[in-house]
mmCIF file of all heavy atoms in Angstrom:
data_model
loop_
_atom_site.group_PDB
_atom_site.id
_atom_site.type_symbol
_atom_site.label_atom_id
_atom_site.label_comp_id
_atom_site.label_asym_id
_atom_site.label_seq_id
_atom_site.Cartn_x
_atom_site.Cartn_y
_atom_site.Cartn_z
ATOM 1 N N ILE A 17 -4.763 -8.447 10.031
ATOM 2 C CA ILE A 17 -3.845 -9.427 9.326
ATOM 3 C C ILE A 17 -4.638 -10.205 8.355
ATOM 4 O O ILE A 17 -4.192 -10.424 7.181
ATOM 5 C CB ILE A 17 -3.107 -10.374 10.306
ATOM 6 C CG1 ILE A 17 -2.234 -9.511 11.244
ATOM 7 C CG2 ILE A 17 -2.459 -11.395 9.565
ATOM 8 C CD1 ILE A 17 -1.274 -8.574 10.463
ATOM 9 N N ASN A 18 -5.937 -10.658 8.624
ATOM 10 C CA ASN A 18 -6.754 -11.354 7.642
ATOM 11 C C ASN A 18 -7.127 -10.501 6.507
ATOM 12 O O ASN A 18 -7.138 -10.988 5.309
ATOM 13 C CB ASN A 18 -8.009 -11.852 8.490
ATOM 14 C CG ASN A 18 -7.692 -13.054 9.206
ATOM 15 O OD1 ASN A 18 -6.607 -13.803 8.985
ATOM 16 N ND2 ASN A 18 -8.551 -13.414 10.157
ATOM 17 N N GLU A 19 -7.327 -9.213 6.690
ATOM 18 C CA GLU A 19 -7.576 -8.328 5.567
ATOM 19 C C GLU A 19 -6.380 -8.240 4.564
ATOM 20 O O GLU A 19 -6.497 -8.328 3.406
ATOM 21 C CB GLU A 19 -7.904 -6.968 6.057
ATOM 22 C CG GLU A 19 -9.273 -6.796 6.711
ATOM 23 C CD GLU A 19 -10.427 -6.882 5.723
ATOM 24 O OE1 GLU A 19 -10.161 -6.398 4.524
ATOM 25 O OE2 GLU A 19 -11.492 -7.456 6.049
ATOM 26 N N ILE A 20 -5.197 -8.189 5.145
ATOM 27 C CA ILE A 20 -4.013 -8.106 4.433
ATOM 28 C C ILE A 20 -3.866 -9.379 3.497
ATOM 29 O O ILE A 20 -3.546 -9.377 2.336
ATOM 30 C CB ILE A 20 -2.723 -7.973 5.328
ATOM 31 C CG1 ILE A 20 -2.729 -6.577 5.846
ATOM 32 C CG2 ILE A 20 -1.368 -8.132 4.431
ATOM 33 C CD1 ILE A 20 -1.611 -6.193 6.905
ATOM 34 N N LYS A 21 -4.087 -10.632 4.272
ATOM 35 C CA LYS A 21 -4.079 -11.883 3.506
ATOM 36 C C LYS A 21 -5.065 -11.979 2.299
ATOM 37 O O LYS A 21 -4.774 -12.362 1.327
ATOM 38 C CB LYS A 21 -4.381 -12.998 4.526
ATOM 39 C CG LYS A 21 -3.302 -13.289 5.502
ATOM 40 C CD LYS A 21 -3.608 -14.490 6.361
ATOM 41 C CE LYS A 21 -2.550 -14.689 7.467
ATOM 42 N NZ LYS A 21 -2.988 -15.713 8.404
ATOM 43 N N GLU A 22 -6.221 -11.350 2.624
ATOM 44 C CA GLU A 22 -7.236 -11.286 1.606
ATOM 45 C C GLU A 22 -6.888 -10.491 0.389
ATOM 46 O O GLU A 22 -7.092 -10.870 -0.766
ATOM 47 C CB GLU A 22 -8.702 -10.956 2.217
ATOM 48 C CG GLU A 22 -9.762 -11.070 1.278
ATOM 49 C CD GLU A 22 -11.098 -10.663 1.911
ATOM 50 O OE1 GLU A 22 -11.206 -10.713 3.216
ATOM 51 O OE2 GLU A 22 -12.005 -10.263 1.096
ATOM 52 N N VAL A 23 -6.241 -9.374 0.703
ATOM 53 C CA VAL A 23 -5.777 -8.506 -0.346
ATOM 54 C C VAL A 23 -4.929 -9.169 -1.304
ATOM 55 O O VAL A 23 -4.937 -9.172 -2.440
ATOM 56 C CB VAL A 23 -5.344 -7.167 0.221
ATOM 57 C CG1 VAL A 23 -4.545 -6.408 -0.904
ATOM 58 C CG2 VAL A 23 -6.464 -6.300 0.791
ATOM 59 N N TYR A 24 -3.844 -9.856 -0.636
ATOM 60 C CA TYR A 24 -2.836 -10.521 -1.393
ATOM 61 C C TYR A 24 -3.523 -11.748 -2.065
ATOM 62 O O TYR A 24 -3.105 -11.901 -3.324
ATOM 63 C CB TYR A 24 -1.704 -10.985 -0.475
ATOM 64 C CG TYR A 24 -0.683 -9.895 -0.330
ATOM 65 C CD1 TYR A 24 -0.595 -9.134 0.685
ATOM 66 C CD2 TYR A 24 0.402 -9.945 -1.326
ATOM 67 C CE1 TYR A 24 0.372 -8.086 0.706
ATOM 68 C CE2 TYR A 24 1.435 -8.925 -1.235
ATOM 69 C CZ TYR A 24 1.392 -8.124 -0.107
ATOM 70 O OH TYR A 24 2.344 -7.148 -0.026
ATOM 71 N N ALA A 25 -4.412 -12.464 -1.474
ATOM 72 C CA ALA A 25 -4.989 -13.549 -2.301
ATOM 73 C C ALA A 25 -5.925 -13.080 -3.448
ATOM 74 O O ALA A 25 -5.743 -13.683 -4.570
ATOM 75 C CB ALA A 25 -6.014 -14.266 -1.250
ATOM 76 N N LYS A 26 -6.447 -11.966 -3.252
ATOM 77 C CA LYS A 26 -7.412 -11.446 -4.340
ATOM 78 C C LYS A 26 -6.408 -10.937 -5.514
ATOM 79 O O LYS A 26 -6.617 -11.197 -6.738
ATOM 80 C CB LYS A 26 -8.187 -10.360 -3.896
ATOM 81 C CG LYS A 26 -9.480 -10.854 -3.195
ATOM 82 C CD LYS A 26 -10.341 -9.729 -2.754
ATOM 83 C CE LYS A 26 -11.521 -10.141 -1.964
ATOM 84 N NZ LYS A 26 -12.401 -9.079 -1.424
ATOM 85 N N ALA A 27 -5.286 -10.363 -5.098
ATOM 86 C CA ALA A 27 -4.391 -9.760 -6.193
ATOM 87 C C ALA A 27 -3.666 -11.035 -6.921
ATOM 88 O O ALA A 27 -3.597 -10.872 -8.155
ATOM 89 C CB ALA A 27 -3.284 -9.029 -5.419
ATOM 90 N N LYS A 28 -3.336 -11.983 -6.161
ATOM 91 C CA LYS A 28 -2.771 -13.171 -6.781
ATOM 92 C C LYS A 28 -3.724 -13.858 -7.793
ATOM 93 O O LYS A 28 -3.448 -14.138 -8.938
ATOM 94 C CB LYS A 28 -2.353 -14.286 -5.702
ATOM 95 C CG LYS A 28 -1.068 -13.849 -4.970
ATOM 96 C CD LYS A 28 -0.748 -14.860 -3.914
ATOM 97 C CE LYS A 28 0.374 -14.533 -3.069
ATOM 98 N NZ LYS A 28 0.643 -15.290 -1.871
ATOM 99 N N ALA A 29 -5.027 -13.923 -7.330
ATOM 100 C CA ALA A 29 -6.062 -14.518 -8.269
ATOM 101 C C ALA A 29 -6.351 -13.562 -9.535
ATOM 102 O O ALA A 29 -6.408 -14.054 -10.549
ATOM 103 C CB ALA A 29 -7.371 -14.560 -7.436
ATOM 104 N N PHE A 30 -6.324 -12.244 -9.156
ATOM 105 C CA PHE A 30 -6.477 -11.325 -10.309
ATOM 106 C C PHE A 30 -5.229 -11.487 -11.457
ATOM 107 O O PHE A 30 -5.537 -11.585 -12.581
ATOM 108 C CB PHE A 30 -6.495 -9.878 -9.906
ATOM 109 C CG PHE A 30 -6.592 -8.942 -10.928
ATOM 110 C CD1 PHE A 30 -7.853 -8.697 -11.637
ATOM 111 C CD2 PHE A 30 -5.466 -8.203 -11.403
ATOM 112 C CE1 PHE A 30 -7.951 -7.761 -12.663
ATOM 113 C CE2 PHE A 30 -5.629 -7.218 -12.475
ATOM 114 C CZ PHE A 30 -6.843 -7.022 -13.041
ATOM 115 N N ASP A 31 -4.039 -11.578 -10.811
ATOM 116 C CA ASP A 31 -3.004 -11.693 -11.765
ATOM 117 C C ASP A 31 -2.909 -13.054 -12.528
ATOM 118 O O ASP A 31 -2.633 -13.175 -13.728
ATOM 119 C CB ASP A 31 -1.682 -11.674 -10.986
ATOM 120 C CG ASP A 31 -1.300 -10.157 -10.545
ATOM 121 O OD1 ASP A 31 -1.985 -9.320 -10.974
ATOM 122 O OD2 ASP A 31 -0.326 -10.113 -9.739
ATOM 123 N N GLU A 32 -3.462 -14.130 -11.896
ATOM 124 C CA GLU A 32 -3.579 -15.404 -12.575
ATOM 125 C C GLU A 32 -4.691 -15.272 -13.689
ATOM 126 O O GLU A 32 -4.447 -15.895 -14.762
ATOM 127 C CB GLU A 32 -3.934 -16.542 -11.488
ATOM 128 C CG GLU A 32 -2.839 -16.919 -10.691
ATOM 129 C CD GLU A 32 -3.226 -17.981 -9.593
ATOM 130 O OE1 GLU A 32 -4.196 -18.589 -9.792
ATOM 131 O OE2 GLU A 32 -2.403 -18.103 -8.628
ATOM 132 N N ILE A 33 -5.752 -14.653 -13.404
ATOM 133 C CA ILE A 33 -6.816 -14.481 -14.353
ATOM 134 C C ILE A 33 -6.234 -13.640 -15.556
ATOM 135 O O ILE A 33 -6.514 -14.027 -16.778
ATOM 136 C CB ILE A 33 -7.985 -13.746 -13.767
ATOM 137 C CG1 ILE A 33 -8.774 -14.809 -12.914
ATOM 138 C CG2 ILE A 33 -8.961 -13.255 -14.815
ATOM 139 C CD1 ILE A 33 -9.911 -14.219 -11.933
ATOM 140 N N LYS A 34 -5.549 -12.573 -15.166
ATOM 141 C CA LYS A 34 -4.977 -11.646 -16.302
ATOM 142 C C LYS A 34 -4.012 -12.509 -17.088
ATOM 143 O O LYS A 34 -4.070 -12.310 -18.447
ATOM 144 C CB LYS A 34 -4.218 -10.443 -15.614
ATOM 145 C CG LYS A 34 -3.843 -9.412 -16.496
ATOM 146 C CD LYS A 34 -3.468 -8.198 -15.690
ATOM 147 C CE LYS A 34 -1.983 -8.335 -15.112
ATOM 148 N NZ LYS A 34 -1.551 -7.105 -14.498
ATOM 149 N N GLU A 35 -3.145 -13.336 -16.501
ATOM 150 C CA GLU A 35 -2.252 -14.146 -17.376
ATOM 151 C C GLU A 35 -3.027 -15.159 -18.125
ATOM 152 O O GLU A 35 -2.713 -15.259 -19.478
ATOM 153 C CB GLU A 35 -1.379 -14.840 -16.392
ATOM 154 C CG GLU A 35 -0.380 -15.756 -17.190
ATOM 155 C CD GLU A 35 0.575 -14.967 -18.067
ATOM 156 O OE1 GLU A 35 0.933 -13.829 -17.760
ATOM 157 O OE2 GLU A 35 1.175 -15.470 -19.074
ATOM 158 N N HIS A 36 -4.096 -15.701 -17.640
ATOM 159 C CA HIS A 36 -4.815 -16.737 -18.424
ATOM 160 C C HIS A 36 -5.528 -15.896 -19.556
ATOM 161 O O HIS A 36 -5.581 -16.505 -20.728
ATOM 162 C CB HIS A 36 -5.882 -17.328 -17.494
ATOM 163 C CG HIS A 36 -6.769 -18.420 -18.341
ATOM 164 N ND1 HIS A 36 -6.099 -19.566 -18.680
ATOM 165 C CD2 HIS A 36 -8.004 -18.499 -18.612
ATOM 166 C CE1 HIS A 36 -7.128 -20.339 -19.317
ATOM 167 N NE2 HIS A 36 -8.191 -19.741 -19.200
ATOM 168 N N MET A 37 -5.904 -14.771 -19.372
ATOM 169 C CA MET A 37 -6.717 -13.968 -20.441
ATOM 170 C C MET A 37 -5.730 -13.582 -21.548
ATOM 171 O O MET A 37 -5.956 -13.553 -22.706
ATOM 172 C CB MET A 37 -7.340 -12.700 -19.884
ATOM 173 C CG MET A 37 -8.530 -12.926 -18.886
ATOM 174 S SD MET A 37 -9.853 -13.846 -19.809
ATOM 175 C CE MET A 37 -10.377 -12.643 -20.990
ATOM 176 N N LYS A 38 -4.428 -13.260 -21.190
ATOM 177 C CA LYS A 38 -3.463 -13.030 -22.203
ATOM 178 C C LYS A 38 -3.147 -14.278 -22.996
ATOM 179 O O LYS A 38 -2.960 -14.123 -24.182
ATOM 180 C CB LYS A 38 -2.199 -12.526 -21.319
ATOM 181 C CG LYS A 38 -1.007 -12.278 -22.343
ATOM 182 C CD LYS A 38 0.284 -11.820 -21.603
ATOM 183 C CE LYS A 38 1.522 -11.493 -22.505
ATOM 184 N NZ LYS A 38 1.768 -12.496 -23.431
ATOM 185 N N GLU A 39 -3.072 -15.474 -22.371
ATOM 186 C CA GLU A 39 -2.862 -16.694 -23.143
ATOM 187 C C GLU A 39 -4.134 -16.874 -24.058
ATOM 188 O O GLU A 39 -3.767 -17.299 -25.220
ATOM 189 C CB GLU A 39 -2.738 -17.771 -22.171
ATOM 190 C CG GLU A 39 -1.544 -17.831 -21.323
ATOM 191 C CD GLU A 39 -1.461 -19.000 -20.175
ATOM 192 O OE1 GLU A 39 -2.445 -19.770 -20.217
ATOM 193 O OE2 GLU A 39 -0.455 -18.924 -19.322
ATOM 194 N N ILE A 40 -5.253 -16.625 -23.683
ATOM 195 C CA ILE A 40 -6.414 -16.916 -24.499
ATOM 196 C C ILE A 40 -6.415 -15.763 -25.638
ATOM 197 O O ILE A 40 -6.537 -16.211 -26.815
ATOM 198 C CB ILE A 40 -7.813 -16.627 -23.761
ATOM 199 C CG1 ILE A 40 -7.950 -17.894 -22.811
ATOM 200 C CG2 ILE A 40 -8.992 -16.465 -24.552
ATOM 201 C CD1 ILE A 40 -9.035 -17.553 -21.693
ATOM 202 N N ASN A 41 -6.087 -14.667 -25.386
ATOM 203 C CA ASN A 41 -5.881 -13.545 -26.368
ATOM 204 C C ASN A 41 -4.840 -14.041 -27.409
ATOM 205 O O ASN A 41 -4.997 -13.829 -28.771
ATOM 206 C CB ASN A 41 -5.536 -12.258 -25.738
ATOM 207 C CG ASN A 41 -5.631 -11.000 -26.734
ATOM 208 O OD1 ASN A 41 -6.475 -11.055 -27.559
ATOM 209 N ND2 ASN A 41 -4.570 -10.286 -26.719
ATOM 210 N N ASP A 42 -3.616 -14.524 -26.985
ATOM 211 C CA ASP A 42 -2.615 -14.915 -27.922
ATOM 212 C C ASP A 42 -3.073 -16.102 -28.739
ATOM 213 O O ASP A 42 -2.798 -16.065 -30.044
ATOM 214 C CB ASP A 42 -1.359 -15.309 -27.105
ATOM 215 C CG ASP A 42 -0.660 -13.995 -26.379
ATOM 216 O OD1 ASP A 42 -0.971 -12.961 -26.736
ATOM 217 O OD2 ASP A 42 0.232 -14.392 -25.548
ATOM 218 N N GLU A 43 -3.711 -17.006 -28.232
ATOM 219 C CA GLU A 43 -4.245 -18.122 -28.946
ATOM 220 C C GLU A 43 -5.257 -17.600 -29.881
ATOM 221 O O GLU A 43 -5.333 -18.129 -31.089
ATOM 222 C CB GLU A 43 -5.080 -19.187 -27.960
ATOM 223 C CG GLU A 43 -5.399 -20.483 -28.719
ATOM 224 C CD GLU A 43 -5.954 -21.270 -27.750
ATOM 225 O OE1 GLU A 43 -5.540 -21.477 -26.598
ATOM 226 O OE2 GLU A 43 -6.990 -22.072 -28.073
ATOM 227 N N PHE A 44 -6.155 -16.693 -29.601
ATOM 228 C CA PHE A 44 -7.162 -16.041 -30.499
ATOM 229 C C PHE A 44 -6.413 -15.449 -31.543
ATOM 230 O O PHE A 44 -6.783 -15.570 -32.766
ATOM 231 C CB PHE A 44 -7.975 -15.135 -29.686
ATOM 232 C CG PHE A 44 -8.955 -14.445 -30.611
ATOM 233 C CD1 PHE A 44 -10.213 -15.053 -31.023
ATOM 234 C CD2 PHE A 44 -8.829 -13.071 -30.998
ATOM 235 C CE1 PHE A 44 -11.064 -14.466 -31.847
ATOM 236 C CE2 PHE A 44 -9.806 -12.424 -31.766
ATOM 237 C CZ PHE A 44 -10.904 -13.182 -32.176
ATOM 238 N N LYS A 45 -5.386 -14.612 -31.352
ATOM 239 C CA LYS A 45 -4.706 -13.993 -32.479
ATOM 240 C C LYS A 45 -4.087 -15.088 -33.387
ATOM 241 O O LYS A 45 -4.042 -14.805 -34.602
ATOM 242 C CB LYS A 45 -3.548 -13.017 -31.815
ATOM 243 C CG LYS A 45 -4.055 -11.788 -31.272
ATOM 244 C CD LYS A 45 -2.979 -11.015 -30.728
ATOM 245 C CE LYS A 45 -3.377 -9.684 -30.004
ATOM 246 N NZ LYS A 45 -2.370 -8.977 -29.400
ATOM 247 N N GLY A 46 -3.479 -16.110 -32.826
ATOM 248 C CA GLY A 46 -2.972 -17.145 -33.683
ATOM 249 C C GLY A 46 -3.975 -17.796 -34.588
ATOM 250 O O GLY A 46 -3.798 -18.074 -35.648
ATOM 251 N N ASN A 47 -5.253 -18.053 -33.943
ATOM 252 C CA ASN A 47 -6.234 -18.667 -34.806
ATOM 253 C C ASN A 47 -6.780 -17.592 -35.851
ATOM 254 O O ASN A 47 -6.976 -17.952 -36.982
ATOM 255 C CB ASN A 47 -7.587 -18.967 -33.825
ATOM 256 C CG ASN A 47 -7.230 -20.089 -32.969
ATOM 257 O OD1 ASN A 47 -6.385 -20.878 -33.272
ATOM 258 N ND2 ASN A 47 -8.009 -20.221 -31.930
ATOM 259 N N ILE A 48 -6.862 -16.340 -35.547
ATOM 260 C CA ILE A 48 -7.225 -15.373 -36.523
ATOM 261 C C ILE A 48 -6.093 -15.240 -37.646
ATOM 262 O O ILE A 48 -6.479 -15.229 -38.829
ATOM 263 C CB ILE A 48 -7.342 -13.910 -35.916
ATOM 264 C CG1 ILE A 48 -8.508 -13.754 -34.886
ATOM 265 C CG2 ILE A 48 -7.309 -12.828 -36.905
ATOM 266 C CD1 ILE A 48 -9.864 -13.982 -35.722
ATOM 267 N N ASN A 49 -4.960 -15.243 -37.272
ATOM 268 C CA ASN A 49 -3.794 -15.255 -38.411
ATOM 269 C C ASN A 49 -3.987 -16.554 -39.191
ATOM 270 O O ASN A 49 -3.741 -16.496 -40.503
ATOM 271 C CB ASN A 49 -2.356 -15.261 -37.722
ATOM 272 C CG ASN A 49 -2.168 -13.856 -37.115
ATOM 273 O OD1 ASN A 49 -2.789 -12.950 -37.336
ATOM 274 N ND2 ASN A 49 -1.221 -13.831 -36.054
ATOM 275 N N GLU A 50 -4.279 -17.759 -38.705
ATOM 276 C CA GLU A 50 -4.337 -18.935 -39.431
ATOM 277 C C GLU A 50 -5.523 -18.832 -40.360
ATOM 278 O O GLU A 50 -5.591 -19.196 -41.498
ATOM 279 C CB GLU A 50 -4.560 -20.164 -38.417
ATOM 280 C CG GLU A 50 -4.749 -21.494 -39.169
ATOM 281 C CD GLU A 50 -3.480 -21.787 -39.963
ATOM 282 O OE1 GLU A 50 -2.393 -21.321 -39.764
ATOM 283 O OE2 GLU A 50 -3.622 -22.892 -40.687
ATOM 284 N N ILE A 51 -6.680 -18.284 -39.928
ATOM 285 C CA ILE A 51 -7.825 -18.031 -40.712
ATOM 286 C C ILE A 51 -7.600 -17.205 -41.858
ATOM 287 O O ILE A 51 -7.871 -17.366 -43.057
ATOM 288 C CB ILE A 51 -9.024 -17.457 -39.766
ATOM 289 C CG1 ILE A 51 -9.569 -18.534 -38.899
ATOM 290 C CG2 ILE A 51 -10.181 -17.011 -40.824
ATOM 291 C CD1 ILE A 51 -10.505 -18.085 -37.978
ATOM 292 N N HIS A 52 -6.921 -16.019 -41.685
ATOM 293 C CA HIS A 52 -6.423 -15.130 -42.666
ATOM 294 C C HIS A 52 -5.548 -15.833 -43.694
ATOM 295 O O HIS A 52 -5.749 -15.629 -44.921
ATOM 296 C CB HIS A 52 -5.745 -13.858 -42.152
ATOM 297 C CG HIS A 52 -6.700 -12.931 -41.429
ATOM 298 N ND1 HIS A 52 -6.264 -11.987 -40.719
ATOM 299 C CD2 HIS A 52 -7.975 -12.815 -41.402
ATOM 300 C CE1 HIS A 52 -7.203 -11.274 -40.191
ATOM 301 N NE2 HIS A 52 -8.335 -11.803 -40.565
ATOM 302 N N ARG A 53 -4.650 -16.594 -43.234
ATOM 303 C CA ARG A 53 -3.771 -17.386 -44.042
ATOM 304 C C ARG A 53 -4.567 -18.359 -44.934
ATOM 305 O O ARG A 53 -4.401 -18.339 -46.156
ATOM 306 C CB ARG A 53 -2.769 -18.241 -43.238
ATOM 307 C CG ARG A 53 -1.683 -18.683 -44.217
ATOM 308 C CD ARG A 53 -0.788 -19.744 -43.270
ATOM 309 N NE ARG A 53 -1.437 -20.991 -42.853
ATOM 310 C CZ ARG A 53 -1.656 -22.039 -43.567
ATOM 311 N NH1 ARG A 53 -1.544 -22.057 -44.875
ATOM 312 N NH2 ARG A 53 -2.393 -23.050 -43.135
#
């Protein structure tokens, strides 16, 4: 049961990191577009 909990905890953490990376990427694209402008 603890292994199952750990798998879910790691998956949740990974998804949060992935979402944060997407936000950073979107912000970076916005900055690049502003620089080009």
